[in-house]
Amino acid sequence: MIYLQNISESQVLFVPKNGSVPGGSLVFKAKSTIDLETEILQDVIDLNTSDLYFNIAVSLPGGLPNGEYEYTLTDGVQVLSTGLLIIGESASASQYNKEITYEQYESE
């Protein structure tokens, strides 16, 4: 899972390569899993800094809703990587703590 801030400035992403070798220019696409309509589509360049990850920079458009997106990185022909992307503040987990009282009985 990849986390991004909801800002329009360029942000660096490390996307897993999964053993894929690109055959052309890279295209990063993300689609909202909430409204199924909001999409991000950008041509990106791999900086080739890792054998395990594509090192790319993405600039988000303004007014993008926070939430979960499914991303896909392709080379125009084949899908190189896919996964989940969270844009905005990640929700902090809340925990329900109920006090538990135990009774112990003596046996004779």
Side-chain angles (χ1 to χ4, degrees):
M1 188 172 302
I2 298 173
Y3 295 92
L4 284 180
Q5 296 175 1
N6 197 353
I7 57 175
S8 58
E9 293 146 11
S10 183
Q11 300 176 66
V12 175
L13 297 177
F14 288 94
V15 178
K17 281 189 176 179
N18 301 325
S20 304
V21 177
S25 59
L26 298 177
V27 177
F28 180 81
K29 180 180 178 183
K31 186 173 185 174
S32 174
T33 60
I34 297 171
D35 64 9
L36 301 177
E37 293 180 11
T38 306
E39 283 191 351
I40 304 164
L41 185 63
Q42 282 186 7
D43 292 332
V44 293
I45 297 171
D46 182 20
L47 301 175
N48 292 320
T49 59
S50 172
D51 292 333
L52 300 175
Y53 297 95
F54 292 105
N55 184 0
I56 61 175
V58 175
S59 298
L60 300 176
L64 196 63
N66 289 343
E68 185 179 272
Y69 291 75
E70 181 179 6
Y71 75 84
T72 306
L73 185 66
T74 65
D75 65 357
V77 178
Q78 66 178 344
V79 174
L80 303 172
S81 184
T82 186
L84 289 178
L85 170 71
I86 302 292
I87 296 178
E89 298 295 323
S90 60
S92 60
S94 60
Q95 188 173 4
Y96 177 71
N97 291 322
K98 180 181 176 186
E99 189 174 318
I100 301 173
T101 305
Y102 296 98
E103 283 189 39
Q104 185 171 355
Y105 298 99
E106 292 184 31
S107 63
E108 294 182 49

